[in-house]
Amino acid sequence: MGFSRGPSAADRGLKKVIDMGDATALTLTNAHTNTIFLVGEAALAVVLPAAADLVNGWTAMFIGHHATSGTLTNTVTITGAGTNELIGHTVTGADNQNRQIQPVSPAAKDVIKLHTVSAFGDWFEIIKIGSNFFVCGDSRITDGIPLT
């Protein structure tokens, strides 16, 4: 079952689902909380709002949805409004092989990506906690969701 482009109904407390289609830029706001973005059709640059402007628990999820031969068609790059706002990790690695934590060092980061090497269905979620964004996610491909 495919999704149409644009937002879905989010009544009854359900998450909103937005297929980003061929959009190339997105600046997130407080209104985007509790939203799942289907991405990968176009190279997409996403800017997070300043963590200080959001309530704790603000959340957004990105799922690699548009794929060619099993990998994403284009890279999606999410950048924090400030520096070193992203904390947490993603787990990457090929099916039935050694899984790896990304990033290797626990330092706070500025950017997270879903690369074109990422597989259909790879995902990450961003949750505002305190003065940072906590990041978690999973990719079936080694280095499919790097934090830098």
Side-chain angles (χ1 to χ4, degrees), residues 84-143:
N84 297 323
E85 288 187 322
L86 302 175
I87 58 172
H89 66 273
T90 60
V91 178
T92 67
D95 290 338
N96 301 319
Q97 299 200 12
N98 292 332
R99 305 283 281 158
Q100 302 170 349
I101 298 226
Q102 300 291 334
V104 213
S105 68
K109 304 296 180 183
D110 298 325
V111 174
I112 184 169
K113 292 183 180 184
L114 267 172
H115 272 298
T116 53
V117 298
S118 298
F120 180 82
D122 288 358
W123 63 275
F124 64 85
E125 186 168 22
I126 300 171
I127 305 163
K128 194 273 190 171
I129 300 174
S131 59
N132 294 95
F133 292 100
F134 175 75
V135 177
C136 60
D138 188 72
S139 174
R140 293 177 29 220
I141 309 297
T142 301
D143 298 326

Side-chain angles (χ1 to χ4, degrees), residues 19-91:
D19 184 338
M20 292 304 296
D22 58 2
T24 58
L26 173 64
T27 299
L28 295 175
T29 67
N30 197 33
H32 290 110
T33 191
N34 209 27
T35 301
I36 298 170
F37 296 94
L38 305 177
V39 297
E41 181 176 335
L44 177 63
V46 179
V47 177
L48 288 169
D53 295 341
L54 302 174
V55 298
N56 280 326
W58 180 95
T59 182
M61 177 181 263
F62 294 83
I63 300 175
H65 181 66
H66 298 279
T68 308
S69 302
T71 59
L72 292 188
T73 309
N74 286 287
T75 297
V76 177
T77 304
I78 291 88
T79 305
T83 56
N84 297 323
E85 288 187 322
L86 302 175
I87 58 172
H89 66 273
T90 60
V91 178

